[in-house]
Structures are given as C-alpha cells and as structure tokens.
Amino acid sequence: MSADQRTSRRGSLGGGPKIPPEEAALGCRNVNKTFGSLRAVDQVSLGIEAGEWVSIVGPNGAGKTTLLNILNGFYSPDADADSEVYLDGEEVSGSPEHYRARRGLGRTFQGLELFEEETVIENVMTIRAVKERPNLLSALLYYGPGRQVEAENMRRVEEILDYLELWEYRHSTVATLPLGIQRRVDLARSLALEPDVLLLDESMSGLTFDEKYDVIRFLSDLHEEEGLTLVMIEHDLEVVTAVSDRMVVLEKGGVIARGPPDAVTDDPEVARVYTGVD
Amino acid sequence: MPCGEYFTSYESRMGLIPWRTQRVALVFGLPIPFLVPFLVGGGTLTLFTQMYIFAIAVLGLNVILGYAGEIVLAQGAFMALGAYTTSQLLGTGVGLLPAILLGGVVAAIVAVGFGLPSFRVKGFYIAISTLALQFITEWFLNNGQFDAIHGGARQTLPSTPSIVGPVAAIGTDLDIYYLALVFVLAFAMLSLNLSRTGIGRMFRAVHENDLSAAVLGVNVFRNKLMAFAIGGFMIGVSGGLFAFNIGFIDPQFFTLTLTLEHYVMLLFGGLGRVWGALLGVGVVTILRDTLQNGLQVAAEITGTNATALVPVFFGVIIIVVLVVEPKGVLAALGKVKEYLRKWPFAY
Amino acid sequence: MVDVSTFLDITVSGIGLGALYALIAMGFALIYKVTGVLNFAQGQIAMIGAYGVVFLGTGAVLSSPLPAFGALAATIVLGVVLGVALERIVFRQFIGEPVLSVIIVTLALGGIFSGFIAFLFGRNFRSYPAELTFSSRIDLVAGATIQTAFAIAVLLALVVVSALMLFFRYTVTGSILRAAATDEQAAMVLGVSIERTIALAWTISIAITAIGGILLAMSSDGAGFSIEATGIIIFAAVVFGGLDSIPGAFIGAIVVGLLQEYGSFYFEGGTAIVDVGPGFGEILPLLFLLVVIVVKPYGLFGTERIERL
Ligand SMILES: Nc1ncnc2c1ncn2[C@@H]1O[C@H](COP(=O)(O)OP(=O)(O)O)[C@@H](O)[C@H]1O
Ligand SMILES: [Mg+2]
C-alpha cells in the first residue's frame, strides 16, 4: 500500500509526534523497516516524554514489536537518509543495542527470551552485571572490589525480587516456572538495569486476571514513585485506557491514530481496525 | 536450605563453599593431592601429572564452550601453540614459567583472532573456522619451510630448565607434579570465580540467549572474545606443561583426536561445571588408560589393530551422555541426591 | 612458468576433483537443508564408502571377497542402510536439541567411524581391485585429458545436482521440505510425511557421500586415510555456496577442487612458482574458507537469516 492511500484513511487523530523526537526521552523520526517485500514499519515518528506512560496498540502483525526492536537497536531501520532514533536527547541511530540498554533503555519480550537454564536469581544477576560489574582481574581473583560489587549486586537484586514478589522462586530454574512468574522474571531482569525508559512487549499476554492486576500494580508504582517512562504494547484496551497517558495505534506498519486514550478509542478509524480486521 | 544453617552476611553466603559440610570436605580433601606423591609410585604419579595437565586444557575448553557456548575444535592447535612456543622460549633461557605463560599468551592471541568472525556469524562458523585452524596448524608444524618459526616438527625440550631466568632448576617427576597441581588448582579457582561473578554470568547469557542478552546490555562480541582469550590462554598453558612433562614434542600429539578426548571429558562431567570438568578428566583418563591397556592385550592376542578402537569408545560415550543426561554426570548425581533428600516426601 | 596446456590440464583435473567433492558437499547441504543437522562426519562417511569397497572387494579382511563390481554395488547399498540406521538410531533422538549438541554428536560419529576403519585396516593405503582402477585417461578437446574417475564424478555430480534441484522445485515433497526448512511449526503439523522424507534425505545424502568417497579412492587407485580430510575441505565449498543451497554446494565444490589443484601444482614441490611446502593444495581451500567466513559468510546463494525477538 502506498503512503498517500493510508494518509487518506488516517483518522482525525493522525498528526505527528507529541514532542520532537530529539527532545524526547525516547523518540524516532521517519523510521522504516522492510523484510523482503513486506514493509513492517512505515514512516513512524514518535516522541515520548520523560515520565509518560504510552501504549502502542494494533492488530497482530502491525509492526509493534518491530518498532520496539528498532527503538532499542536490535534492528537497524532501512537506510533512509532522514531516519533517526533518539534516546534522552542523544542520537543513537548508529549505536548497538547493548549501548542503548546501558544508557537506560530496558525491555521485556513478547516471547520472554529468558536464560532458561538458569535460576531466577541468576537471570536477574546477569543483567544486573551489565549495570555494575567488577573488572576482569578482580573478578578472576574475587578479591576486594570484585567481591563487594557482587555482594552489592546481590543485595539490589534481592530487593527487586522481593518487590516483584518473586522471592519464593528465586532458586528455581526459570524453564520450570509457570508463564505468569516467567513474565515477572523478565520484568525483574529489566529492572535490574535501573532503566529510565522501559519497553514492554505484551507483558501481560497469557496472564490471568489476578496476574495482570499484579503486573499493573508493579508498573504503576514504578511509574509514580520512580518516574519510570513506560512504552507498552498491549492488546487489552481496558487496561490501556485505564493506565496510559497516551496511546499510539499502528496498522500495517503505520501510525493511524495517537493521543489520549479516550479520544483515540472513540475514533471511527480505530474502531474499524479493531472490529473489522482483527 | 538445609535446616539449622543460616547465612549471616551477603559475602559469606556468596562464598564458594557456603555450607559447613562442604567446608569440612574441603579441609580434608584439599591436602590429598599434595600427599599423593608419598602414596603412589612413579608411574601413577606421571598419570596424575598428565591428568592435571589435561584438566587445565579442559577447564579452558569449559570457559569457551561450557560458559560462552562457542564450539571450538582446535584443542590440539591451541595446545600445540603453547607447546612449541614454550619449547622455543626455553632455548632462550627465560626460564620455564615465563615460557609457559607466554605460550598461553600466544594461544590466547590466536584464539581471539579466530573469535573475531563472531562479530557477524555464530555457532557453526566458529566451529569450522577453528577446525580449519586445527588442520592448518598441523600442516604448518610439519612443514620444514617454517622451521625458522616453529623450530622443527620434532623437538626435544631441555630436561632441567630454571624456573624463572637463571633461578632454580626444575625437572624431576615430583617437580612437574607439583607444578601441574599448582596450575590446575589456580585455574580451577579462577574458573569458579569467573563463574560466580558478573563476567561469567554474561558469558552464560551469551550462550543461552545472545539476542535478549544484547538487547539488555550485554556486549556479546566483547564477551565472546574475552572467553576466547581466557580459555585460549589456559589451553596454551596446558600445552606448554604437556610438552615439558613429556620432554619431547611432535605434531602427532596435537591432532583432532585430542579435541575429541577433551570433549568427552567435559561432556561427561557436564558443560559449564568446574567440578564436572575435573571429574570428567579423572574418570575419562583412567577409563582411557584401562581401555588402552586392555586393547593392547587384545591386540597382541588377536593380532588385530584393537587399540585403534579408543576413539570409538569416546564417540559412544559422548552420544550416550548427550542422549541420557546432556548436563553430564554431576547433574545426574545431583538429581539422584535431590530425589533421595526429598524421599519419601517432596517439600 | 605458467604454461597454457599444463594450466588447462590442471584446470580439468581441478574440475574433476571438484565434482568429486560436489557429491560429498551436496550430501552435506541436502541434510542441512532438510533437517538442519550440520554433519561434521562427512569425511568419515566418504571414507566408509572408500574402505567399504576394500572390505568387500579385496582379501584385506574377508577370505572370499565379492567380485569388484559386486563389492561396489554392495558398498552403495551399505551406505543406504547406514543412512537409514543413523537417522533412526541417532539423529531422531536429537530433533529439536541445540545445534551445539547435534554438531558434537556428528563429531562423535566421525570418531566412531574412523576408529572402526583404523581398526579394520590400519591407517594405511589399501589398493583397489584392478577392475576398479583406470589406467587410461579420457581425451578431451585441445589435447587435455581427464582421469576416468574424475569423468565419472563430473557426470554423476551433474546428474545429482540437477535431480535434487528439480526435486526441490517441482515435487510436492520438495515443497513440503522447503516449507519445513523455513518453518519448524509447519514441519510439526505436516508430521508423518516429513518423517519419511527426512529418512529419504539421509539415505540420499549418505549414498552420494559414500559414492564420492569411492570415486575419490578410485582416482588414486585405492583408499587412504587422507579422505578423512575431505570432511573439512567440503566446508569451504558449502560455506562459499551458501550452506543450504544445493547448486551452491556444487559450484563451491568446483571452486574448491580448482583451488586445490592449482595450489598443489603452483605452490608445492618441483613445479611450484612459490614453494610453500608439501600439502599446500589441501590447505589453500581452508584459507579460502577462512576468507569467505570473514568477507562473505552467507556465501553466494545463502541469505542472512534475520533473527526475531
Ligand atoms: N525477522 C523478520 N523477518 C521477516 N519478517 C518479519 C520479521 N520480523 C517481523 N516480520 C514481519 O513483520 C510484520 C510485523 O511483525 P511484528 O512487528 O512482530 O508485529 P506485531 O508485534 O505488531 O504483532 C509481520 O508481518 C511479521 O511477519
Ligand atoms: Mg509483537
């Protein structure tokens, strides 16, 4: 489909990003991603303000995950001259994913992607080590600073596990745990990075009502108390409208609507996508 | 947590041996290798020395394959690099320790060089490039054109070199035994430390899920290279010790068979487990020796080539271990222990 | 100095040798394409073919050997049986296991095979029955000649590559396999029919690999342990070709055969322009392999798989 065709179908809430990407906590301008002949992400621009809670919605295959992958550098967008990605005011278009993570961009995964053969505590400790780790020599010898860093990391990780109510599972191998717990481990792993912006890819899919409620509780606390910026892909519109400050609707790779949840859900174009297609 | 024992501080509970029983076992167990020379005869002592030397190479493999999950098929080549470097340097009079350590450094450098393609490719490609390294190294060592570099395919090492510079000659079987013992203990300790700190964890993350690890901040490429460097160093050192222990080097000692043997040892004990690697080396060495002796006898009686069957047994052990318990014997023992501990109730 | 007619001769034998390698390389690529197994035992399987003929057709082990061509046919049948057996007994256990385990299993199999062969024959060269060695060469145009074993290999390799390409392109099973290769889920759903084709793939793979080994032995009048090294040389071919591409493996193998022949003529011994030492012919393909891995790891026809999260 060509760009102008979609523009014509674009709802009243189309428009550009709320704030310019280069001033945003996380932003991108005109990013595209093509797989073979499929345009999975099409000219998307975002500007997410620090402290915002933004939800990305859209039918399966709309390009939501691909967009997150571009934001944290797992995919580089198609080589267009004007496409850019910004993290906290810095252009990171050319930086590898591990750099962006260290700059404060956390992420959970639709498919969990845990270190399955390790225990819960090891999973979280691993990513904690990204944040804070001994140098090779002091690690090999396990003397003074090496030891202190590990002890301090352990203390911090136990706090996180305690906070996410994972304490009783801490020594279980991840692969043996139920999905709800695994999703929480995934979240714990990201929190160990102490991110400023957290990307959540369907962190509640497959969870029971109670489990969802718990996750929302954790996220709301982090959002309110620590000012964590959240970008969340979520299918449950009820959840989305309840928690998010803004939402962005993707369809076939392009943004078809964005704005406050109430306004967006009332948009006829969004309704069409949700009732007609999905 | 066994009843009645409680941790007191973060540091003590993160120790290698958090439980009292383990500490007691260590206190009684550790002196044993130091007493071995007083208990056994010369032949057995040499067998132990050889075990320790192989254990170092297998610990090196454990860092690269067990922790970081990269398949390297160049154990023979890395050991040869260590061995030939050591032999050449001994001639210059720097002393045994510097020669062996530099041998390790040379192996580490080559290992890192062969880790560089992992910037773009993984798994299989690293396996075949290191396999190519194995063949190229064998060709290089056998090739008289390069005598000026490697000093000749077959070399005899000085039998009583000094340890460092001109200081203190070393050379009796007992000396070598203690030298190898010190090295293996040191490397085992370093491996355990690596495994319980952030760096070892990142290695394992690279192994288990390199994609999510990268997105969560792990520099995958750097960690792989680090694993190659550390592991390569250990394997190179093992090669130097091996050369010095035998007193003679020949490219035939450093073939693909050696790689296969080390794989058996590591897989038997369990990938990524230091104690497993040590156990694997012990058991497989004894098994191989018994087997070789048995086959030797069989060969003489039947007039066949029975000793050639050793790799067949290695191959069978690998496959059986991978089918029955891919995590190795130690993990299997752990399961049995867990079962017995819980029996008859699960709690 | 480079002399045109010698160069032509060397090129012809390079192509011949390459065609031989092509059989073994296609055996590898076929299995990788269909089952995802990276078989590190190709060299040893080729060696089984080569020594199979010695076993059945000469007095080396058996007291009353089969006639030469009977031994040849029986060895190929043996290859087929081995293919089925390996799939049933070993590889079926490892479906869905990590690549690392499967690679190690094939390495272990390689050790088992070469150990057995060394047990039966020693690591020595064993001559083939006279009927299977060709002293005559076949004349080609412009005064060039080709060894008979190479000529057979060229014809056979062409037949195999065409047959496999047609199979994947035009048959139902072929398209199922293509789908299965890209989508494990689809393979699961398709279930039963897949299983049979996987067995078929192993059969074909091991049979053509064994034939490659036999022809390799014929080209030097007998079986030798050096055939084992083919296992690594063909990696240069398949990586250059793109790993899971049958025509890629074919082309890659020809390139590797040429490199080896040029290497051993122009860089080794009395005929060398620059003498790098004995055995360089077999090292050149390995250096080529390293270069390909660094410069163009997905080869001629391979595509980089885009990972997903
Ligand atoms: N690595 C890839 N290779 C090829 N196609 C892909 C890849 N990743 C995603 N796609 C395709 O891009 C489209 C968008 O996928 P995705 O971003 O996962 O959608 P969503 O997360 O919105 O469900 C889909 O059609 C998907 O098949
Ligand atoms: Mg998705």
Side-chain angles (χ1 to χ4, degrees):
Chain A
M1 168 194 319
S2 73
D4 41 15
Q5 251 177 315
R6 194 182 35 259
T7 316
S8 65
R9 292 204 294 93
R10 196 172 262 172
S12 52
L13 288 151
K18 185 180 173 209
I19 59 171
E22 54 271 24
E23 289 163 24
L26 177 68
C28 62
R29 174 173 292 133
N30 299 339
V31 292
N32 292 312
K33 184 71 190 174
T34 315
F35 297 112
S37 59
L38 176 87
R39 173 109 344 159
V41 169
D42 192 0
Q43 289 289 319
V44 173
S45 302
L46 290 177
I48 290 151
E49 237 177 331
E52 257 193 309
W53 187 331
V54 176
S55 295
I56 300 177
V57 301
N60 278 325
K64 306 181 294 293
T65 301
T66 308
L67 180 59
L68 289 199
N69 283 339
I70 292 172
L71 290 174
N72 61 18
F74 181 69
Y75 289 149
S76 41
D78 294 351
D80 299 311
D82 60 342
S83 86
E84 290 157 343
V85 179
Y86 290 92
L87 180 58
D88 192 20
E90 180 189 351
E91 173 158 16
V92 290
S93 311
S95 327
E97 58 266 52
H98 58 82
Y99 173 79
R100 299 186 201 187
R102 282 166 201 229
R103 280 280 279 111
L105 187 58
R107 161 91 186 252
T108 70
F109 304 91
Q110 191 172 358
L112 292 163
E113 312 291 341
L114 295 164
F115 310 126
E116 296 203 343
E117 296 295 316
E118 309 279 337
T119 61
V120 170
I121 201 160
E122 282 293 317
N123 265 268
V124 185
M125 279 296 277
T126 303
I127 299 308
R128 180 66 199 172
V130 169
K131 183 81 189 160
E132 212 73 63
R133 68 178 177 287
N135 65 35
L136 180 59
L137 190 67
S138 65
L140 283 173
L141 300 178
Y142 207 72
Y143 78 106
R147 219 180 156 120
Q148 284 153 20
V149 170
E150 289 303 323
E152 178 54 29
N153 279 349
M154 182 62 87
R155 197 186 57 74
R156 180 75 191 109
V157 165
E158 288 183 351
E159 271 174 23
I160 294 171
L161 294 183
D162 193 33
Y163 177 71
L164 291 180
E165 292 161 21
L166 283 168
W167 186 252
E168 59 184 300
Y169 306 103
R170 67 193 184 285
H171 293 308
S172 312
T173 307
V174 162
T176 63
L177 293 170
L179 178 74
I181 304 300
Q182 291 198 19
R183 289 234 180 260
R184 250 189 270 167
V185 177
D186 194 14
L187 184 59
R189 204 168 54 158
S190 265
L191 293 182
L193 270 176
E194 296 179 9
D196 302 320
V197 181
L198 183 55
L199 309 177
L200 301 155
D201 194 350
E202 303 196 14
S203 283
M204 286 172 246
S205 85
L207 301 194
T208 64
F209 181 82
D210 289 344
E211 288 171 332
K212 263 190 198 182
Y213 179 82
D214 285 338
V215 173
I216 294 169
R217 185 162 54 83
F218 298 135
L219 292 176
S220 305
D221 286 352
L222 287 163
H223 180 65
E224 273 152 35
E225 284 161 24
E226 324 245 327
L228 183 64
T229 311
L230 291 165
V231 180
M232 174 175 90
I233 296 178
E234 180 52 51
H235 280 302
D236 189 336
L237 282 185
E238 225 168 296
V239 171
V240 169
T241 37
V243 300
S244 39
D245 304 320
R246 274 198 308 134
M247 64 190 278
V248 174
V249 186
L250 278 187
E251 196 217 4
K252 295 189 177 147
V255 176
I256 57 165
R258 62 173 108 209
D262 297 333
V264 170
T265 41
D266 290 343
D267 184 72
E269 176 63 19
V270 175
R272 190 194 66 78
V273 167
Y274 264 84
T275 52
V277 181
D278 199 12
Chain B
M1 194 184 281
C3 303
E5 283 196 56
Y6 295 97
F7 290 118
T8 46
S9 75
Y10 280 96
E11 294 206 7
S12 70
R13 54 194 250 221
M14 290 172 67
L16 282 182
I17 35 170
W19 307 114
R20 198 163 37 210
T21 40
Q22 287 172 312
R23 242 174 260 149
V24 171
L26 190 76
V27 167
F28 284 98
L30 194 62
I32 293 176
F34 288 94
L35 297 175
V36 162
F38 304 105
L39 306 174
V40 303
T44 319
L45 191 67
T46 315
L47 183 70
F48 272 99
T49 308
Q50 206 203 55
M51 249 188 234
Y52 297 159
I53 293 173
F54 271 11
I56 296 168
V58 174
L59 285 172
L61 180 66
N62 182 49
V63 172
I64 307 178
L65 176 72
Y67 293 168
E70 289 289 323
I71 307 176
V72 286
L73 298 172
Q75 290 293 106
F78 292 148
M79 277 184 78
L81 286 166
Y84 281 81
T85 309
T86 301
S87 169
Q88 287 298 83
L89 286 175
L90 276 184
T92 68
V94 292
L96 185 64
L97 269 186
I100 288 177
L101 294 176
L102 280 171
V105 170
V106 169
I109 291 171
V110 174
V112 168
F114 276 75
L116 289 176
S118 63
F119 188 65
R120 280 178 75 187
V121 295
K122 55 186 174 186
F124 168 70
Y125 292 93
I126 301 298
I128 48 176
S129 53
T130 52
L131 187 60
L133 172 67
Q134 174 66 42
F135 281 82
I136 293 170
T137 306
E138 280 178 43
W139 169 79
F140 167 77
L141 293 175
N142 278 307
N143 191 335
Q145 311 262 28
F146 298 119
D147 277 0
I149 305 173
H150 56 63
R154 276 156 281 279
Q155 300 173 28
T156 309
L157 281 77
S159 56
T160 49
S162 47
I163 296 182
V164 181
V167 183
I170 177 172
T172 65
D173 283 354
L174 198 63
D175 293 345
I176 305 176
Y177 175 87
Y178 281 119
L179 185 69
L181 177 60
V182 168
F183 266 109
V184 77
L185 287 179
F187 282 131
M189 194 66 210
L190 295 183
S191 303
L192 285 170
N193 284 344
L194 199 64
S195 159
R196 65 184 166 143
T197 52
I199 296 178
R201 291 198 177 92
M202 284 198 239
F203 286 0
R204 281 195 295 268
V206 164
H207 179 179
E208 291 208 28
N209 195 328
D210 54 336
L211 306 179
S212 69
V215 166
L216 292 171
V218 177
N219 186 338
V220 172
F221 180 55
R222 202 183 102 126
N223 277 287
K224 279 185 184 171
L225 291 190
M226 216 184 324
F228 273 99
I230 298 170
F233 177 76
M234 288 160 75
I235 303 165
V237 165
S238 156
L241 285 167
F242 179 85
F244 180 60
N245 182 35
I246 296 191
F248 180 74
I249 44 180
D250 184 318
Q252 281 196 333
F253 300 158
F254 306 104
T255 60
L256 193 59
T257 316
L258 201 61
T259 306
L260 194 64
E261 200 172 317
H262 291 177
Y263 270 70
V264 181
M265 292 168 168
L266 186 57
L267 287 167
F268 184 85
L271 280 181
R273 293 159 187 264
V274 170
W275 298 116
L278 298 180
L279 180 77
V281 172
V283 172
V284 174
T285 307
I286 291 169
L287 210 66
R288 182 202 54 198
D289 267 42
T290 319
L291 197 69
Q292 215 143 23
N293 292 338
L295 289 174
Q296 192 74 47
V297 174
E300 275 155 28
I301 295 171
T302 58
T304 57
N305 213 343
T307 47
L309 287 172
V310 175
V312 175
F313 285 90
F314 283 165
V316 171
I317 296 178
I318 290 182
I319 294 177
V320 169
V321 168
L322 284 177
V323 169
V324 178
E325 177 52 77
K327 289 182 187 159
V329 170
L330 221 53
L333 288 177
K335 276 185 193 167
V336 172
K337 194 179 127 204
E338 192 67 3
Y339 177 78
L340 292 179
R341 192 172 70 80
K342 286 179 178 171
W343 191 84
F345 309 106
Y347 87 86
Chain C
M1 224 34 269
V2 181
D3 158 81
V4 176
S5 81
T6 328
F7 180 78
L8 197 65
D9 259 343
I10 295 163
T11 306
V12 168
S13 37
I15 292 172
L17 182 64
L20 261 170
Y21 287 158
L23 290 169
I24 301 169
M26 287 189 286
F28 175 93
L30 174 65
I31 279 305
Y32 178 62
K33 198 178 169 75
V34 174
T35 69
V37 172
L38 295 153
N39 191 353
F40 276 65
Q42 283 294 88
Q44 286 81 7
I45 293 169
M47 206 159 67
I48 288 183
Y51 278 97
V53 173
V54 175
F55 182 83
L56 296 167
T58 71
V61 177
L62 300 182
S63 46
S64 50
L66 299 175
F69 286 95
L72 191 73
T75 304
I76 296 169
V77 172
L78 203 81
V80 170
V81 173
L82 180 69
V84 175
L86 280 185
E87 195 273 327
R88 279 284 145 88
I89 300 167
V90 182
F91 289 104
R92 203 167 274 191
Q93 314 274 336
F94 289 93
I95 292 177
E97 292 288 312
V99 183
L100 188 137
S101 308
V102 182
I103 288 182
I104 294 174
V105 166
T106 65
L107 281 165
L109 282 175
I112 293 175
F113 295 154
S114 75
F116 256 120
I117 295 171
F119 167 65
L120 288 175
F121 304 101
R123 298 175 74 91
N124 308 319
F125 179 83
R126 296 290 177 136
S127 301
Y128 263 25
E131 297 93 319
L132 295 178
T133 60
F134 310 98
S135 46
S136 66
R137 299 171 67 91
I138 297 170
D139 290 325
L140 300 172
V141 286
T145 59
I146 186 169
Q147 269 201 50
T148 313
F150 284 176
I152 299 173
V154 171
L155 292 178
L156 209 58
L158 283 172
V159 169
V160 172
V161 70
S162 326
L164 287 177
M165 280 173 75
L166 291 174
F167 170 77
F168 277 104
R169 182 145 321 204
Y170 293 111
T171 67
V172 176
T173 321
S175 22
I176 292 178
L177 285 177
R178 252 201 335 242
T182 48
D183 189 348
E184 281 164 40
Q185 296 263 294
M188 295 285 209
V189 175
L190 293 165
V192 190
S193 63
I194 282 289
E195 218 163 72
R196 236 194 251 145
T197 5
I198 286 178
L200 182 68
W202 275 105
T203 312
I204 296 173
S205 162
I206 299 214
I208 58 180
T209 306
I211 293 172
I214 296 171
L215 288 170
L216 208 51
M218 281 183 180
S219 71
S220 53
D221 298 339
F225 240 78
S226 58
I227 295 174
E228 198 174 13
T230 320
I232 168 91
I233 291 177
I234 59 135
F235 283 142
V238 290
V239 171
F240 182 61
L243 216 54
D244 66 347
S245 157
I246 304 276
F250 178 81
I251 295 170
I254 301 289
V255 171
V256 164
L258 284 168
L259 279 177
Q260 181 172 337
E261 289 291 308
Y262 292 145
S264 47
F265 192 84
Y266 292 114
F267 297 98
E268 262 185 59
T271 56
I273 303 171
V274 188
D275 187 5
V276 209
F280 186 69
E282 276 157 35
I283 295 300
L284 192 59
L286 302 188
L287 296 176
F288 173 67
L289 167 65
L290 294 178
V291 172
V292 172
I293 288 178
V294 173
V295 177
K296 200 169 166 44
Y298 303 101
L300 285 181
F301 303 118
T303 42
E304 180 175 1
R305 229 185 84 237
I306 305 167
E307 313 262 15
R308 291 189 188 213
L309 269 180

